[in-house]
Amino acid sequence: MIRCLAIDDEPLALRQLATYIKKIPFLELVEACQSALDARKIMEEEMIDAIFVDINMPDLNGMDFVKSLAAPPLIVFTTAYSEYAIDGFKVDAIDYLLKPFGLDDLRRAANKVKKQYELLNMTPTPPLPADDDAPKAGDGVLFLKTEHRVVRVDIDKIKYIEGMSEYLKIHLEDSRPLVVLLSMKKIEERLPANFMRIHRSYIINLKQIREVNKNRVIMDADTYLPIGDLYREAFNQYLSRNFLGK
């Protein structure tokens, strides 16, 4: 099932959109939202594969909402204004529904979403590398899927990793954070010994610590991370092993 949100500030339009979505067998409507702000809160807690979102909304319009997402899901815009169509496709929208639209129109858009969803969730087997090119354990690189791309990440460039429900935000030295669909446990298994979990929501690169202040680890001038009770003993042992002084 493709988990989706319906987003429209007009109650009647939202009700109709939600009704149409419920008629599509492979779509699961997680929530019908009357604002992009409501949708953002849900997306912080739930895994959402696709959104059907109106463009003209108060507070935060649909276009700006999509642009603000670090890892946007599949997008279908709905609006009464055809001049937004080009802007919609500039943010990689799957489709654009011009109001008023019917069930058949939404079904066609949903089929496009389904096709793209299946392409993105295929797991092709990569060709076997030649012996000289075979990846070595501890080669210092991860390949992570984010925003429908596969990105190469140098492990030493990772400052810390932040858990966000089913997603991780990977904070890097010299580029914006990456948001990936992955568990803390899974990424812990791939990280070298200089990474340590200090909180249920944080894994840090020990080489990147600037300072330890009481119950906080300071990574830079703007980043203060808490040390969780369950992880404090292991972290204190690490400090003791590397402490020089009286």
Coordinates of all heavy atoms in Angstrom, one line a residue, residues 127-181:
P127 N 26.0 -5.5 -10.4 CA 26.9 -6.5 -11.0 C 28.1 -6.7 -10.0 O 28.5 -5.8 -9.3 CB 27.4 -5.8 -12.3 CG 27.2 -4.3 -12.0 CD 25.9 -4.2 -11.2
L128 N 28.6 -7.9 -10.0 CA 29.8 -8.2 -9.2 C 31.0 -7.4 -9.7 O 31.3 -7.4 -10.9 CB 30.1 -9.7 -9.2 CG 29.0 -10.6 -8.6 CD1 29.4 -12.1 -8.8 CD2 29.0 -10.3 -7.1
P129 N 31.7 -6.8 -8.8 CA 32.9 -6.0 -9.2 C 34.1 -6.9 -9.5 O 34.1 -8.0 -9.0 CB 33.2 -5.1 -8.0 CG 32.6 -5.9 -6.8 CD 31.4 -6.7 -7.3
A130 N 35.0 -6.4 -10.3 CA 36.2 -7.1 -10.5 C 37.0 -7.2 -9.2 O 36.8 -6.4 -8.3 CB 37.1 -6.4 -11.6
D131 N 37.9 -8.2 -9.0 CA 38.6 -8.4 -7.8 C 39.3 -7.1 -7.3 O 39.2 -6.8 -6.1 CB 39.6 -9.5 -7.9 CG 39.0 -10.9 -8.1 OD1 37.8 -10.9 -7.7 OD2 39.6 -11.8 -8.5
D132 N 39.9 -6.4 -8.2 CA 40.7 -5.2 -7.8 C 39.7 -4.1 -7.3 O 40.1 -3.2 -6.6 CB 41.5 -4.6 -8.9 CG 42.7 -5.6 -9.3 OD1 43.0 -6.4 -8.4 OD2 43.2 -5.5 -10.4
D133 N 38.4 -4.1 -7.8 CA 37.5 -3.0 -7.5 C 36.5 -3.4 -6.3 O 35.7 -2.7 -6.0 CB 36.7 -2.6 -8.7 CG 37.6 -2.1 -9.8 OD1 38.6 -1.4 -9.4 OD2 37.3 -2.3 -11.0
A134 N 36.7 -4.6 -5.8 CA 35.7 -5.1 -4.8 C 35.8 -4.3 -3.6 O 36.8 -3.9 -3.1 CB 36.1 -6.6 -4.5
P135 N 34.6 -3.9 -3.1 CA 34.6 -3.0 -1.9 C 35.2 -3.7 -0.7 O 34.9 -4.9 -0.5 CB 33.1 -2.7 -1.7 CG 32.4 -3.8 -2.4 CD 33.2 -4.2 -3.5
K136 N 36.0 -3.0 0.1 CA 36.6 -3.6 1.2 C 35.9 -3.2 2.5 O 35.3 -2.1 2.5 CB 38.1 -3.1 1.4 CG 38.9 -3.3 0.1 CD 39.2 -4.7 -0.3 CE 40.2 -4.8 -1.4 NZ 39.9 -4.2 -2.6
A137 N 35.9 -4.1 3.5 CA 35.3 -3.7 4.8 C 36.0 -2.5 5.3 O 37.3 -2.4 5.3 CB 35.4 -4.9 5.8
G138 N 35.3 -1.6 5.9 CA 35.9 -0.4 6.4 C 36.5 0.5 5.3 O 37.5 1.2 5.6
D139 N 35.9 0.6 4.2 CA 36.4 1.5 3.1 C 36.1 2.9 3.3 O 36.5 3.8 2.5 CB 36.0 1.0 1.7 CG 34.5 1.0 1.5 OD1 33.8 1.4 2.5 OD2 34.0 0.6 0.5
G140 N 35.3 3.2 4.4 CA 35.1 4.6 4.7 C 34.0 5.3 3.9 O 33.8 6.5 4.0
V141 N 33.1 4.5 3.3 CA 32.1 5.0 2.4 C 30.7 4.4 2.7 O 30.7 3.1 2.9 CB 32.5 4.9 0.9 CG1 31.3 5.3 0.0 CG2 33.7 5.8 0.6
L142 N 29.7 5.1 2.7 CA 28.3 4.6 2.7 C 27.6 5.2 1.4 O 27.8 6.3 1.0 CB 27.6 5.0 3.9 CG 28.0 4.5 5.3 CD1 27.2 5.2 6.4 CD2 27.9 3.0 5.3
F143 N 26.7 4.4 0.9 CA 25.8 4.8 -0.2 C 24.4 4.9 0.4 O 23.9 3.8 0.9 CB 25.9 3.9 -1.4 CG 27.1 4.1 -2.2 CD1 28.2 3.4 -1.9 CD2 27.2 5.1 -3.2 CE1 29.4 3.6 -2.6 CE2 28.3 5.3 -3.9 CZ 29.5 4.5 -3.6
L144 N 23.8 6.0 0.4 CA 22.5 6.2 1.1 C 21.4 6.8 0.1 O 21.8 7.6 -0.7 CB 22.6 7.2 2.2 CG 23.6 6.8 3.3 CD1 23.8 7.9 4.3 CD2 23.1 5.5 4.1
K145 N 20.2 6.3 0.2 CA 19.1 6.7 -0.7 C 18.4 7.9 0.0 O 17.9 7.8 1.1 CB 18.2 5.6 -0.9 CG 17.0 5.9 -1.9 CD 16.2 4.7 -2.1 CE 15.0 5.0 -3.0 NZ 14.1 3.9 -3.2
T146 N 18.4 9.0 -0.7 CA 17.7 10.2 -0.2 C 17.1 11.0 -1.3 O 17.8 11.2 -2.4 CB 18.7 11.1 0.6 OG1 17.9 12.2 1.1 CG2 19.9 11.5 -0.1
E147 N 15.9 11.5 -1.2 CA 15.2 12.3 -2.2 C 15.3 11.6 -3.6 O 15.6 12.2 -4.6 CB 15.9 13.7 -2.3 CG 15.7 14.5 -1.0 CD 16.3 15.8 -1.0 OE1 16.8 16.2 -2.1 OE2 16.3 16.5 0.0
H148 N 15.0 10.3 -3.6 CA 15.0 9.5 -4.8 C 16.4 9.5 -5.5 O 16.4 9.2 -6.7 CB 14.0 10.1 -5.8 CG 12.6 10.4 -5.2 ND1 12.0 9.5 -4.3 CD2 11.8 11.4 -5.2 CE1 10.9 10.1 -3.8 NE2 10.7 11.2 -4.4
R149 N 17.4 9.7 -4.8 CA 18.8 9.6 -5.3 C 19.6 8.7 -4.4 O 19.3 8.5 -3.3 CB 19.5 10.9 -5.4 CG 18.8 12.0 -6.3 CD 19.5 13.3 -6.1 NE 19.3 13.8 -4.8 CZ 20.3 14.4 -4.1 NH1 21.6 14.5 -4.6 NH2 20.1 14.9 -2.8
V150 N 20.7 8.1 -4.9 CA 21.6 7.4 -4.1 C 22.9 8.2 -4.0 O 23.5 8.6 -5.0 CB 22.0 6.0 -4.7 CG1 23.1 5.3 -3.9 CG2 20.7 5.1 -4.8
V151 N 23.2 8.6 -2.8 CA 24.3 9.6 -2.5 C 25.5 8.9 -1.8 O 25.3 8.1 -0.9 CB 23.8 10.7 -1.6 CG1 24.9 11.7 -1.3 CG2 22.6 11.4 -2.3
R152 N 26.7 9.2 -2.3 CA 27.9 8.7 -1.6 C 28.3 9.6 -0.5 O 28.4 10.8 -0.6 CB 29.1 8.6 -2.6 CG 30.4 8.1 -2.1 CD 31.5 8.3 -3.2 NE 32.7 7.7 -2.8 CZ 33.6 8.3 -2.1 NH1 33.4 9.5 -1.6 NH2 34.8 7.6 -1.8
V153 N 28.5 9.0 0.7 CA 28.8 9.7 1.9 C 30.2 9.2 2.5 O 30.3 8.0 2.7 CB 27.7 9.6 3.0 CG1 28.2 10.3 4.3 CG2 26.4 10.2 2.4
D154 N 31.1 10.1 2.7 CA 32.4 9.7 3.3 C 32.1 9.7 4.8 O 31.6 10.7 5.4 CB 33.4 10.8 3.1 CG 33.9 10.7 1.6 OD1 33.9 9.6 1.0 OD2 34.3 11.8 1.1
I155 N 32.3 8.5 5.4 CA 31.9 8.3 6.9 C 32.6 9.4 7.7 O 32.0 9.9 8.7 CB 32.3 6.9 7.3 CG1 31.3 5.9 6.6 CG2 32.1 6.7 8.8 CD1 31.6 4.5 6.8
D156 N 33.9 9.7 7.5 CA 34.6 10.6 8.3 C 34.0 12.0 8.2 O 34.3 12.9 9.1 CB 36.1 10.7 7.9 CG 36.9 9.5 8.3 OD1 36.4 8.8 9.2 OD2 38.0 9.3 7.8
K157 N 33.2 12.3 7.2 CA 32.5 13.6 7.1 C 31.2 13.7 7.9 O 30.7 14.8 8.1 CB 32.2 13.9 5.6 CG 33.4 14.0 4.7 CD 34.2 15.2 5.0 CE 35.3 15.4 3.9 NZ 36.2 16.6 4.2
I158 N 30.8 12.6 8.5 CA 29.6 12.6 9.3 C 29.9 13.2 10.7 O 30.8 12.7 11.4 CB 29.0 11.2 9.4 CG1 28.6 10.6 8.1 CG2 27.8 11.2 10.4 CD1 28.1 9.2 8.1
K159 N 29.2 14.2 11.1 CA 29.4 14.8 12.4 C 28.5 14.0 13.4 O 29.0 13.6 14.5 CB 29.0 16.3 12.4 CG 29.9 17.1 11.5 CD 29.5 18.6 11.5 CE 29.7 19.2 12.8 NZ 29.4 20.7 12.8
Y160 N 27.3 13.9 13.1 CA 26.4 13.1 14.0 C 25.1 12.7 13.3 O 24.9 13.3 12.2 CB 26.0 13.9 15.3 CG 25.2 15.1 15.1 CD1 23.8 15.1 15.3 CD2 25.8 16.4 14.8 CE1 23.0 16.2 15.1 CE2 25.0 17.5 14.6 CZ 23.6 17.4 14.8 OH 22.8 18.6 14.7
I161 N 24.4 11.8 13.8 CA 23.2 11.2 13.2 C 22.1 11.4 14.2 O 22.2 11.1 15.3 CB 23.4 9.8 12.8 CG1 24.6 9.6 11.8 CG2 22.1 9.2 12.3 CD1 25.1 8.2 11.6
E162 N 21.0 11.9 13.6 CA 19.8 12.2 14.5 C 18.6 11.3 14.1 O 18.3 11.3 12.9 CB 19.4 13.7 14.3 CG 18.2 14.2 15.1 CD 17.9 15.6 14.8 OE1 18.6 16.3 14.0 OE2 16.9 16.1 15.3
G163 N 18.1 10.6 15.0 CA 16.9 9.8 14.7 C 15.6 10.6 14.7 O 15.4 11.3 15.7
M164 N 14.8 10.4 13.7 CA 13.5 11.0 13.6 C 12.4 10.0 13.2 O 12.2 9.8 12.0 CB 13.5 12.2 12.6 CG 14.6 13.2 12.8 SD 14.5 14.6 11.7 CE 14.5 13.7 10.1
S165 N 11.9 9.3 14.2 CA 10.9 8.3 13.9 C 11.5 7.2 13.0 O 12.5 6.6 13.4 CB 9.6 8.9 13.3 OG 8.6 7.9 13.2
E166 N 11.0 7.0 11.8 CA 11.5 6.0 10.9 C 12.6 6.5 10.0 O 13.2 5.8 9.2 CB 10.4 5.4 10.0 CG 9.3 4.7 10.9 CD 8.2 4.2 10.0 OE1 8.2 4.5 8.8 OE2 7.3 3.5 10.5
Y167 N 13.0 7.8 10.2 CA 14.0 8.4 9.4 C 15.2 8.8 10.2 O 15.2 8.9 11.4 CB 13.4 9.7 8.7 CG 12.4 9.4 7.6 CD1 11.1 9.2 8.0 CD2 12.7 9.4 6.3 CE1 10.1 9.0 7.0 CE2 11.8 9.1 5.3 CZ 10.5 8.9 5.7 OH 9.5 8.7 4.7
L168 N 16.3 9.0 9.5 CA 17.5 9.5 10.1 C 17.9 10.8 9.4 O 17.8 10.9 8.2 CB 18.7 8.5 10.0 CG 18.5 7.1 10.6 CD1 19.8 6.3 10.4 CD2 18.3 7.3 12.1
K169 N 18.4 11.8 10.1 CA 19.0 13.0 9.6 C 20.5 12.9 9.8 O 20.9 12.9 11.0 CB 18.4 14.3 10.2 CG 19.0 15.5 9.6 CD 18.5 16.8 10.2 CE 17.1 17.1 9.6 NZ 16.6 18.5 10.1
I170 N 21.3 12.8 8.7 CA 22.7 12.7 8.8 C 23.4 14.0 8.6 O 23.3 14.6 7.5 CB 23.2 11.6 7.8 CG1 22.5 10.3 8.1 CG2 24.7 11.5 7.8 CD1 22.8 9.2 7.2
H171 N 24.0 14.6 9.7 CA 24.6 15.9 9.6 C 26.0 15.7 9.2 O 26.8 15.0 9.8 CB 24.5 16.5 11.0 CG 23.1 16.8 11.5 ND1 22.5 18.0 11.4 CD2 22.2 15.9 12.0 CE1 21.2 17.9 11.8 NE2 21.0 16.7 12.3
L172 N 26.4 16.5 8.2 CA 27.7 16.4 7.6 C 28.6 17.6 7.8 O 28.0 18.7 8.0 CB 27.6 16.1 6.1 CG 26.7 14.8 5.7 CD1 26.4 14.8 4.2 CD2 27.5 13.6 6.1
E173 N 29.9 17.5 7.6 CA 30.8 18.6 7.8 C 30.6 19.7 6.8 O 30.5 20.9 7.2 CB 32.2 18.1 7.6 CG 32.9 17.6 8.9 CD 34.4 17.3 8.6 OE1 34.8 17.6 7.5 OE2 35.0 16.8 9.5
D174 N 30.4 19.4 5.5 CA 30.5 20.4 4.5 C 29.4 20.5 3.6 O 29.5 21.0 2.4 CB 31.8 20.3 3.7 CG 32.0 18.8 3.3 OD1 31.0 18.0 3.4 OD2 33.1 18.5 2.8
S175 N 28.2 19.9 4.0 CA 27.0 20.0 3.1 C 25.8 19.9 4.0 O 25.9 19.6 5.2 CB 27.0 18.9 2.0 OG 27.1 17.6 2.7
R176 N 24.6 20.2 3.4 CA 23.4 20.1 4.1 C 23.1 18.7 4.6 O 23.6 17.7 4.0 CB 22.2 20.7 3.3 CG 21.8 19.9 2.1 CD 20.8 20.6 1.3 NE 20.3 19.8 0.2 CZ 19.2 19.1 0.2 NH1 18.5 18.9 1.4 NH2 18.8 18.4 -0.8
P177 N 22.3 18.5 5.6 CA 22.0 17.2 6.1 C 21.3 16.4 5.1 O 20.5 16.9 4.2 CB 21.1 17.5 7.4 CG 21.4 18.9 7.8 CD 21.7 19.6 6.5
L178 N 21.4 15.1 5.2 CA 20.7 14.1 4.4 C 19.6 13.4 5.2 O 19.9 13.1 6.4 CB 21.6 13.0 3.8 CG 22.8 13.5 2.9 CD1 23.6 12.3 2.6 CD2 22.2 14.1 1.7
V179 N 18.4 13.3 4.7 CA 17.4 12.6 5.4 C 17.1 11.3 4.7 O 16.9 11.2 3.5 CB 16.1 13.4 5.5 CG1 15.0 12.6 6.1 CG2 16.3 14.7 6.2
V180 N 17.3 10.1 5.4 CA 17.1 8.8 4.8 C 16.2 8.0 5.6 O 16.0 8.1 6.8 CB 18.5 8.1 4.7 CG1 19.5 8.9 3.9 CG2 19.1 7.9 6.1
L181 N 15.5 7.1 4.9 CA 14.6 6.1 5.6 C 15.5 4.9 6.0 O 15.8 4.0 5.2 CB 13.5 5.6 4.6 CG 12.5 4.6 5.1 CD1 11.8 5.1 6.3 CD2 11.6 4.2 4.0

